[in-house]
Amino acid sequence: MMIMLCLILALQTVVPPATPPGSSGRELKIELTFDEAFFDSADRNHDQRLTLAELTDALGQRIEHSFASHAEADAKVPLEKRNLMVREFAENIFRMLDVDADQRLTFAEFTKGATRKAPVMS
């Protein structure tokens, strides 16, 4: 099972009127695929469970990669702000997916919980 999550960060920058809406100058689109490959790469100690720290690190790496390829977004959103956004987003997702509240996500929880409505990232 593959779940895709798309985050769009509105940059609220001053863009010349000639720039069409939805262009890279106005938003950064980040697509995250929550599948077995993501789970396996996030599971750094290979215990078949994800901790909040592992999920946060994996999300942070993917999001930073997106920022690195978008100079305007990288300049507009400071690293501290991005780190805070990643932490809050990871905590919300983790809380939603960890149905047995044991602070560890199995792949079954990861895929079953990922079909629920995702939390909003602000």
Side-chain angles (χ1 to χ4, degrees):
M1 171 181 270
M2 179 179 75
I3 305 298
M4 284 192 70
L5 177 62
C6 181
L7 306 174
I8 298 179
L9 301 176
L11 299 176
Q12 299 178 351
T13 58
V14 177
V15 178
T19 304
S23 72
S24 63
R26 294 197 177 196
E27 63 188 28
L28 171 62
K29 184 177 181 180
I30 303 170
E31 292 185 358
L32 300 168
T33 303
F34 284 6
D35 58 4
E36 190 170 3
F38 178 89
F39 186 91
D40 289 343
S41 69
D43 182 19
R44 288 189 284 163
N45 65 356
H46 308 292
D47 67 351
Q48 303 300 304
R49 307 240 184 311
L50 291 185
T51 63
L52 175 57
E54 287 174 322
L55 180 62
T56 302
D57 289 346
L59 288 172
Q61 289 174 6
R62 303 279 171 107
I63 289 170
E64 278 307 307
H65 179 73
S66 295
F67 271 92
S69 64
H70 194 294
E72 185 177 357
D74 190 46
K76 179 75 176 171
V77 183
L79 182 59
E80 308 82 47
K81 173 76 171 169
R82 294 193 307 255
N83 288 339
L84 178 62
M85 289 170 23
V86 167
R87 269 195 317 275
E88 289 176 354
F89 185 60
E91 288 170 359
N92 286 336
I93 288 177
F94 195 89
R95 188 172 32 256
M96 181 181 73
L97 299 178
D98 187 19
V99 294
D100 64 3
D102 69 349
Q103 302 301 305
R104 297 171 12 159
L105 296 178
T106 63
F107 186 68
E109 285 178 307
F110 186 73
T111 57
K112 182 179 179 183
T115 60
R116 293 189 201 141
K117 185 178 177 185
V120 174
M121 182 175 176
S122 55

